[in-house]
């Protein structure tokens, strides 16, 4: 029972800090068959105050989510935002707040593409959202452990994985152990800001 309670707290931590009432209709069971492999259609260099993280985004299987992320990058939306929520042995979340935990509103929410079959494995990047399934905007998180409890299933709408870290996982791990504290109404906020200086498009590795 204690483990289940802890899990519920962690999953609720992926709210995109906007807050919305529970509005979840259980999805249809996943389509049987092998899960697709993440492709590297678009690649990005995320420069942070703790080092560089390279990401590959799958536009083939998650076109809505991939194009959404690409649009925010093209607008330089993520520049000077924070990794504002960090939970060791779970994930690091960013893309929606600037220094002082000032909310940076995103565009209209997108459809949740968690049902394509990707799992929230260590090193994957996925969309944060509120309790409303189709509520993700700009915020994302990087899994620091395998988190299958976040996947789409017959009883859960899941969190949409749309890419993975291809270099710099050691930076992600360092961010994940940075000291945190409560700041106002927000929990698990790094004591020292972890700033995303910029996100820029790069060439994807061959092969």
């Amino acid at each position: 029972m204690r483990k289940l309670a802890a899990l519920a707290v962690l999953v609720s931590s992926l709210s995109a800090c906007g807050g919305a009432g529970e509005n979840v209709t259980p999805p249809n069971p996943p389509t049987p068959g092998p899960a697709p492999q993440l492709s590297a259609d678009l690649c990005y260099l995320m420069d942070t105050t703790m080092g560089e993280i390279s990401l590959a985004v799958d536009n083939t299987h998650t076109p809505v989510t991939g194009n959404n992320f690409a649009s925010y990058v093209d607008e330089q939306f993520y520049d000077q935002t924070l990794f504002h929520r960090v939970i060791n042995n779970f994930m690091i979340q960013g893309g929606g707040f600037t220094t002082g935990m000032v909310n940076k509103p995103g565009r209209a929410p997108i459809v949740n593409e968690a049902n394509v079959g990707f799992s929230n494995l260590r090193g994957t990047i996925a969309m944060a959202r509120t309790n409303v399934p189709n509520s993700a905007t700009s915020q994302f998180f990087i899994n620091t452990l395998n988190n299958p409890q976040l996947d789409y299933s017959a009883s859960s709408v899941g969190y949409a994985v749309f890419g993975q870290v291809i270099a710099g996982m050691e930076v992600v791990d360092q961010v994940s152990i940075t000291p945190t504290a409560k700041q106002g109404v927000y929990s698990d906020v790094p004591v020292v800001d972890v700033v995303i200086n910029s996100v820029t498009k790069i060439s994807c590795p061959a092969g």
Side-chain angles (χ1 to χ4, degrees), residues 26-70:
N28 295 323
T31 303
Q37 294 292 312
L38 276 164
S39 63
D41 299 314
L42 299 170
C43 293
Y44 299 95
L45 180 66
M46 181 176 289
D47 178 65
T48 81
T49 49
M50 294 187 73
E52 295 180 342
I53 304 166
S54 296
L55 303 166
V57 169
D58 186 322
N59 252 21
T60 300
H61 301 97
T62 54
V64 173
T65 314
N67 285 324
N68 178 70
F69 186 82

Side-chain angles (χ1 to χ4, degrees), residues 6-15 83-94 141-145 147 149-150 172-181 187-190:
L7 177 58
V9 169
L10 289 178
V11 172
S12 69
S13 295
L14 293 175
S15 165
F83 276 109
H84 63 271
R85 180 178 287 157
V86 169
I87 302 177
N88 189 27
N89 291 325
F90 185 41
M91 59 88 222
I92 64 174
Q93 181 175 337
F141 62 94
I142 299 174
N143 289 289
T144 57
L145 289 183
N147 290 311
Q149 72 276 13
L150 304 181
V172 174
D173 289 336
Q174 285 301 304
V175 175
S176 75
I177 59 173
T178 193
T180 62
S187 299
D188 307 303
V189 179

